[in-house]
CSV table of all heavy atoms in Angstrom, one decimal:
chain,number,residue,atom,x,y,z
V,325,ASP,N,-5.1,-5.5,9.4
V,325,ASP,CA,-4.3,-5.1,10.6
V,325,ASP,C,-4.7,-5.8,11.8
V,325,ASP,O,-3.9,-5.9,12.7
V,325,ASP,CB,-4.6,-3.6,10.8
V,325,ASP,CG,-4.0,-2.7,9.7
V,325,ASP,OD1,-3.3,-3.3,8.8
V,325,ASP,OD2,-4.3,-1.5,9.6
V,326,VAL,N,-5.9,-6.4,11.9
V,326,VAL,CA,-6.3,-7.2,13.0
V,326,VAL,C,-5.3,-8.4,13.1
V,326,VAL,O,-4.8,-8.8,14.2
V,326,VAL,CB,-7.7,-7.7,12.9
V,326,VAL,CG1,-8.0,-8.7,14.0
V,326,VAL,CG2,-8.7,-6.5,13.1
V,327,GLY,N,-5.1,-9.0,11.9
V,327,GLY,CA,-4.2,-10.2,11.9
V,327,GLY,C,-2.8,-9.8,12.3
V,327,GLY,O,-2.1,-10.5,13.0
V,328,LEU,N,-2.3,-8.6,11.8
V,328,LEU,CA,-1.0,-8.1,12.2
V,328,LEU,C,-0.8,-7.9,13.7
V,328,LEU,O,0.2,-8.4,14.3
V,328,LEU,CB,-0.7,-6.8,11.4
V,328,LEU,CG,0.7,-6.2,11.7
V,328,LEU,CD1,1.8,-7.1,11.2
V,328,LEU,CD2,0.8,-4.8,11.1
V,329,ILE,N,-1.7,-7.2,14.3
V,329,ILE,CA,-1.6,-7.0,15.7
V,329,ILE,C,-1.7,-8.2,16.6
V,329,ILE,O,-1.0,-8.4,17.6
V,329,ILE,CB,-2.6,-5.9,16.2
V,329,ILE,CG1,-2.2,-5.4,17.6
V,329,ILE,CG2,-4.0,-6.4,16.2
V,329,ILE,CD1,-0.9,-4.7,17.7
V,330,LEU,N,-2.5,-9.2,16.1
V,330,LEU,CA,-2.6,-10.5,16.8
V,330,LEU,C,-1.2,-11.2,16.7
V,330,LEU,O,-0.8,-11.9,17.7
V,330,LEU,CB,-3.7,-11.3,16.3
V,330,LEU,CG,-5.1,-10.9,16.6
V,330,LEU,CD1,-6.2,-11.7,15.9
V,330,LEU,CD2,-5.4,-10.9,18.1
V,331,GLY,N,-0.6,-11.1,15.5
V,331,GLY,CA,0.7,-11.7,15.3
V,331,GLY,C,1.7,-11.1,16.2
V,331,GLY,O,2.6,-11.8,16.8
V,332,VAL,N,1.7,-9.8,16.4
V,332,VAL,CA,2.7,-9.1,17.2
V,332,VAL,C,2.4,-9.5,18.7
V,332,VAL,O,3.4,-9.7,19.5
V,332,VAL,CB,2.5,-7.6,17.1
V,332,VAL,CG1,3.4,-6.8,18.1
V,332,VAL,CG2,2.9,-7.2,15.7
V,333,ILE,N,1.2,-9.6,19.1
V,333,ILE,CA,0.9,-10.1,20.5
V,333,ILE,C,1.4,-11.5,20.7
V,333,ILE,O,2.0,-11.7,21.8
V,333,ILE,CB,-0.7,-10.0,20.7
V,333,ILE,CG1,-1.1,-8.6,20.8
V,333,ILE,CG2,-1.0,-10.7,22.1
V,333,ILE,CD1,-2.6,-8.4,20.8
V,334,LEU,N,1.2,-12.4,19.8
V,334,LEU,CA,1.8,-13.7,19.9
V,334,LEU,C,3.3,-13.7,20.0
V,334,LEU,O,3.9,-14.5,20.7
V,334,LEU,CB,1.3,-14.6,18.8
V,334,LEU,CG,-0.1,-15.2,18.9
V,334,LEU,CD1,-0.4,-16.1,17.7
V,334,LEU,CD2,-0.3,-16.0,20.2
V,335,ILE,N,3.9,-12.8,19.2
V,335,ILE,CA,5.4,-12.7,19.3
V,335,ILE,C,5.8,-12.3,20.7
V,335,ILE,O,6.8,-12.9,21.2
V,335,ILE,CB,5.9,-11.7,18.2
V,335,ILE,CG1,5.8,-12.3,16.8
V,335,ILE,CG2,7.3,-11.3,18.5
V,335,ILE,CD1,6.0,-11.3,15.7
V,336,PHE,N,5.1,-11.4,21.3
V,336,PHE,CA,5.5,-11.0,22.6
V,336,PHE,C,5.3,-12.1,23.6
V,336,PHE,O,6.1,-12.3,24.5
V,336,PHE,CB,4.8,-9.7,23.1
V,336,PHE,CG,5.0,-9.3,24.5
V,336,PHE,CD1,6.2,-8.8,24.9
V,336,PHE,CD2,4.1,-9.6,25.5
V,336,PHE,CE1,6.5,-8.4,26.2
V,336,PHE,CE2,4.3,-9.2,26.8
V,336,PHE,CZ,5.5,-8.7,27.2
V,337,VAL,N,4.2,-12.8,23.5
V,337,VAL,CA,3.9,-13.9,24.4
V,337,VAL,C,4.9,-15.0,24.4
V,337,VAL,O,5.3,-15.5,25.4
V,337,VAL,CB,2.4,-14.4,24.1
V,337,VAL,CG1,2.2,-15.7,24.9
V,337,VAL,CG2,1.4,-13.4,24.5
V,338,HIS,N,5.4,-15.3,23.2
V,338,HIS,CA,6.3,-16.5,23.1
V,338,HIS,C,7.8,-16.1,23.0
V,338,HIS,O,8.6,-17.0,23.1
V,338,HIS,CB,5.9,-17.3,21.8
V,338,HIS,CG,4.6,-18.0,22.0
V,338,HIS,ND1,4.4,-19.2,22.5
V,338,HIS,CD2,3.3,-17.6,21.6
V,338,HIS,CE1,3.2,-19.5,22.5
V,338,HIS,NE2,2.5,-18.6,22.0
V,339,PHE,N,8.1,-14.8,22.8
V,339,PHE,CA,9.5,-14.4,22.7
V,339,PHE,C,9.8,-13.5,23.8
V,339,PHE,O,11.0,-13.1,24.0
V,339,PHE,CB,9.8,-13.7,21.4
V,339,PHE,CG,9.8,-14.7,20.2
V,339,PHE,CD1,8.6,-15.0,19.5
V,339,PHE,CD2,11.0,-15.2,19.7
V,339,PHE,CE1,8.7,-15.8,18.4
V,339,PHE,CE2,11.0,-16.1,18.6
V,339,PHE,CZ,9.8,-16.4,18.0
V,340,ASP,N,8.8,-13.0,24.6
V,340,ASP,CA,9.1,-12.1,25.7
V,340,ASP,C,9.7,-10.8,25.3
V,340,ASP,O,10.4,-10.1,26.0
V,340,ASP,CB,9.9,-12.7,26.8
V,340,ASP,CG,9.2,-13.9,27.5
V,340,ASP,OD1,8.0,-13.8,27.7
V,340,ASP,OD2,9.9,-14.9,27.7
V,341,SER,N,9.5,-10.4,24.0
V,341,SER,CA,10.1,-9.2,23.5
V,341,SER,C,9.4,-8.8,22.2
V,341,SER,O,8.9,-9.7,21.5
V,341,SER,CB,11.6,-9.4,23.2
V,341,SER,OG,12.2,-8.2,22.6
V,342,ILE,N,9.5,-7.6,21.8
V,342,ILE,CA,9.0,-7.1,20.5
V,342,ILE,C,10.1,-6.5,19.7
V,342,ILE,O,9.9,-5.8,18.7
V,342,ILE,CB,7.8,-6.2,20.6
V,342,ILE,CG1,8.1,-4.9,21.4
V,342,ILE,CG2,6.6,-6.9,21.1
V,342,ILE,CD1,7.1,-3.8,21.3
V,343,SER,N,11.3,-6.6,20.2
V,343,SER,CA,12.5,-6.1,19.5
V,343,SER,C,12.9,-7.0,18.4
V,343,SER,O,13.0,-8.3,18.6
V,343,SER,CB,13.6,-5.9,20.5
V,343,SER,OG,14.9,-5.6,19.8
V,344,TYR,N,13.2,-6.5,17.2
V,344,TYR,CA,13.6,-7.4,16.1
V,344,TYR,C,14.8,-8.2,16.5
V,344,TYR,O,14.9,-9.4,16.3
V,344,TYR,CB,14.0,-6.6,14.9
V,344,TYR,CG,12.8,-5.9,14.2
V,344,TYR,CD1,13.0,-4.7,13.5
V,344,TYR,CD2,11.5,-6.5,14.2
V,344,TYR,CE1,11.9,-4.1,12.9
V,344,TYR,CE2,10.5,-5.8,13.6
V,344,TYR,CZ,10.7,-4.6,12.9
V,344,TYR,OH,9.6,-4.0,12.3
V,345,ALA,N,15.8,-7.6,17.1
V,345,ALA,CA,17.1,-8.2,17.4
V,345,ALA,C,16.9,-9.4,18.3
V,345,ALA,O,17.4,-10.5,18.1
V,345,ALA,CB,18.1,-7.2,18.0
V,346,GLU,N,16.1,-9.2,19.4
V,346,GLU,CA,15.9,-10.3,20.3
V,346,GLU,C,15.0,-11.4,19.7
V,346,GLU,O,15.2,-12.6,19.9
V,346,GLU,CB,15.2,-9.7,21.6
V,346,GLU,CG,16.1,-8.8,22.4
V,346,GLU,CD,15.5,-8.3,23.6
V,346,GLU,OE1,14.7,-9.0,24.2
V,346,GLU,OE2,15.8,-7.1,24.0
V,347,VAL,N,13.9,-11.0,19.0
V,347,VAL,CA,13.0,-12.0,18.4
V,347,VAL,C,13.8,-12.9,17.4
V,347,VAL,O,13.7,-14.1,17.4
V,347,VAL,CB,11.8,-11.4,17.8
V,347,VAL,CG1,11.0,-12.4,16.9
V,347,VAL,CG2,10.9,-10.7,18.8
V,348,PHE,N,14.6,-12.3,16.5
V,348,PHE,CA,15.3,-13.0,15.5
V,348,PHE,C,16.4,-13.9,16.1
V,348,PHE,O,16.6,-15.0,15.6
V,348,PHE,CB,15.8,-12.1,14.4
V,348,PHE,CG,14.8,-11.3,13.7
V,348,PHE,CD1,15.1,-10.1,13.1
V,348,PHE,CD2,13.4,-11.7,13.7
V,348,PHE,CE1,14.1,-9.3,12.4
V,348,PHE,CE2,12.5,-10.9,13.0
V,348,PHE,CZ,12.8,-9.8,12.4
V,349,SER,N,17.0,-13.4,17.1
V,349,SER,CA,18.1,-14.2,17.7
V,349,SER,C,17.5,-15.5,18.4
V,349,SER,O,18.2,-16.5,18.5
V,349,SER,CB,18.9,-13.4,18.7
V,349,SER,OG,18.0,-13.0,19.8
V,350,ARG,N,16.3,-15.4,18.9
V,350,ARG,CA,15.6,-16.5,19.6
V,350,ARG,C,14.9,-17.4,18.7
V,350,ARG,O,14.4,-18.5,19.1
V,350,ARG,CB,14.7,-16.0,20.7
V,350,ARG,CG,15.4,-15.2,21.8
V,350,ARG,CD,14.4,-14.7,22.8
V,350,ARG,NE,15.0,-13.7,23.8
V,350,ARG,CZ,14.3,-13.0,24.7
V,350,ARG,NH1,13.0,-13.2,24.8
V,350,ARG,NH2,15.0,-12.2,25.5
Side-chain angles (χ1 to χ4, degrees):
D325 294 350
V326 171
L328 178 64
I329 194 62
L330 289 175
V332 172
I333 291 170
L334 278 181
I335 286 173
F336 175 72
V337 169
H338 291 275
F339 289 86
D340 295 320
S341 176
I342 57 168
S343 168
Y344 291 151
E346 294 182 31
V347 170
F348 299 158
S349 64
R350 298 176 188 174

